[in-house]
């Protein structure tokens, strides 16, 4: 799977077990109705956070947010809402999930279904809000973060 390039997201959930986690196991499922999924290990704090909040937020990270991606992989960061003190964020208007400023896109989901997937759960979310920012994507491939060069302008 290291050969499969993915975008980088930070999944978030609010509530009693508020948490954020860098993830690349995320994808669109359906356009009508809009649905997405994310996969989270049973042992991850994010797993219980999503179940407790009955939903999740997704911030699709830009190339300028590699440090944010690394921050949300650091297990020694504070827990609960205190972990968001070190980043620029705003509450999602529908779920209240923390969304990260400067991202390429933001998605808020209500939890629709949970499926078993080996040592992970597959969380299917109904999209209740989505918006987009600007910039270039942050990618993950071959065990590392990569930036995509913008395409050169083409003349007509």
């Amino acid at each position: 799977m290291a050969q499969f390039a993915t975008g980088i997201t930070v999944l978030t959930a609010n509530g009693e077990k508020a948490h954020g986690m860098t993830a690349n196991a995320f994808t669109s499922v359906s356009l009508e109705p809009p649905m997405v999924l994310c996969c989270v290990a049973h042992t991850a704090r994010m797993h219980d956070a999503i179940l407790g909040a009955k939903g999740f937020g997704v911030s699709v990270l830009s190339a300028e947010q590699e440090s944010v991606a690394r921050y949300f992989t650091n297990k020694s960061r504070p827990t609960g809402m205190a972990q968001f003190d070190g980043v620029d964020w705003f509450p999602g208007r529908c779920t209240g999930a923390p969304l990260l400023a400067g991202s390429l896109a933001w998605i808020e989901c209500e939890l629709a279904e949970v499926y078993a997937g080996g040592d992970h759960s597959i969380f299917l979310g109904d999209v209740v809000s989505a918006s987009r920012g600007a910039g270039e994507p942050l990618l993950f491939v071959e065990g590392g973060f990569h930036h995509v060069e913008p395409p050169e302008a083409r003349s007509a």
Side-chain angles (χ1 to χ4, degrees):
M1 295 310 298
Q3 300 304 310
F4 183 64
T6 64
I8 302 296
T9 68
V10 170
L11 304 175
T12 55
N14 67 347
E16 188 176 309
K17 296 183 179 188
H19 193 62
M21 179 187 91
T22 300
N24 66 340
F26 168 82
T27 193
S28 172
V29 173
S30 170
L31 295 176
E32 199 54 49
M35 300 176 91
V36 298
L37 70 75
C38 62
C39 301
V40 179
H42 297 145
T43 57
R45 281 186 247 161
M46 192 73 223
H47 192 278
D48 288 343
I50 290 173
L51 290 174
K54 297 182 178 24
F56 55 94
V58 182
S59 296
V60 179
L61 300 189
S62 71
E64 291 76 32
Q65 293 178 298
E66 183 175 335
S67 63
V68 174
R70 291 184 186 283
Y71 174 77
F72 281 101
T73 64
N74 184 345
K75 294 182 192 271
S76 67
R77 73 182 182 281
T79 58
M81 287 306 293
Q83 70 191 284
F84 296 99
D85 291 348
V87 296
D88 190 9
W89 68 278
F90 58 94
R93 70 174 198 253
C94 294
T95 65
L99 300 173
L100 305 180
S103 296
L104 295 179
W106 303 273
I107 303 166
E108 292 180 86
C109 298
E110 292 177 350
L111 189 57
E113 297 286 342
V114 181
Y115 299 100
D119 61 356
H120 282 58
S121 287
I122 302 162
F123 292 107
L124 183 64
D126 289 322
V127 175
V128 294
S129 176
S131 57
R132 65 188 300 176
E136 299 301 324
L138 179 62
L139 299 179
F140 191 79
V141 65
E142 292 194 2
F145 294 106
H146 297 274
H147 303 230
V148 175
E149 294 298 319
E152 291 185 31
R154 297 182 186 154
S155 58

mmCIF file with all atom_site columns, all heavy atoms in Angstrom, residues 41 64 107:
data_model
loop_
_atom_site.group_PDB
_atom_site.id
_atom_site.type_symbol
_atom_site.label_atom_id
_atom_site.label_alt_id
_atom_site.label_comp_id
_atom_site.label_asym_id
_atom_site.label_entity_id
_atom_site.label_seq_id
_atom_site.pdbx_PDB_ins_code
_atom_site.Cartn_x
_atom_site.Cartn_y
_atom_site.Cartn_z
_atom_site.occupancy
_atom_site.B_iso_or_equiv
_atom_site.pdbx_formal_charge
_atom_site.auth_seq_id
_atom_site.auth_comp_id
_atom_site.auth_asym_id
_atom_site.auth_atom_id
_atom_site.pdbx_PDB_model_num
ATOM 1  N N   . ALA A 1 41  ? -8.434  2.568  13.461 1.00 0.00 ? 41  ALA A N   1
ATOM 2  C CA  . ALA A 1 41  ? -8.111  1.391  14.268 1.00 0.00 ? 41  ALA A CA  1
ATOM 3  C C   . ALA A 1 41  ? -8.951  1.354  15.536 1.00 0.00 ? 41  ALA A C   1
ATOM 4  O O   . ALA A 1 41  ? -9.219  2.397  16.145 1.00 0.00 ? 41  ALA A O   1
ATOM 5  C CB  . ALA A 1 41  ? -6.628  1.389  14.634 1.00 0.00 ? 41  ALA A CB  1
ATOM 6  N N   . GLU A 1 64  ? 1.033   23.268 2.715  1.00 0.00 ? 64  GLU A N   1
ATOM 7  C CA  . GLU A 1 64  ? 1.615   24.104 3.765  1.00 0.00 ? 64  GLU A CA  1
ATOM 8  C C   . GLU A 1 64  ? 1.340   23.567 5.170  1.00 0.00 ? 64  GLU A C   1
ATOM 9  O O   . GLU A 1 64  ? 1.815   24.124 6.153  1.00 0.00 ? 64  GLU A O   1
ATOM 10 C CB  . GLU A 1 64  ? 1.090   25.546 3.664  1.00 0.00 ? 64  GLU A CB  1
ATOM 11 C CG  . GLU A 1 64  ? 1.589   26.308 2.455  1.00 0.00 ? 64  GLU A CG  1
ATOM 12 C CD  . GLU A 1 64  ? 0.899   25.907 1.163  1.00 0.00 ? 64  GLU A CD  1
ATOM 13 O OE1 . GLU A 1 64  ? -0.298  25.546 1.205  1.00 0.00 ? 64  GLU A OE1 1
ATOM 14 O OE2 . GLU A 1 64  ? 1.546   25.914 0.114  1.00 0.00 ? 64  GLU A OE2 1
ATOM 15 N N   . ILE A 1 107 ? -15.166 19.092 5.726  1.00 0.00 ? 107 ILE A N   1
ATOM 16 C CA  . ILE A 1 107 ? -16.373 18.278 5.609  1.00 0.00 ? 107 ILE A CA  1
ATOM 17 C C   . ILE A 1 107 ? -16.850 17.946 7.017  1.00 0.00 ? 107 ILE A C   1
ATOM 18 O O   . ILE A 1 107 ? -16.041 17.589 7.873  1.00 0.00 ? 107 ILE A O   1
ATOM 19 C CB  . ILE A 1 107 ? -16.092 16.977 4.829  1.00 0.00 ? 107 ILE A CB  1
ATOM 20 C CG1 . ILE A 1 107 ? -15.526 17.298 3.443  1.00 0.00 ? 107 ILE A CG1 1
ATOM 21 C CG2 . ILE A 1 107 ? -17.338 16.110 4.725  1.00 0.00 ? 107 ILE A CG2 1
ATOM 22 C CD1 . ILE A 1 107 ? -14.913 16.110 2.742  1.00 0.00 ? 107 ILE A CD1 1
#
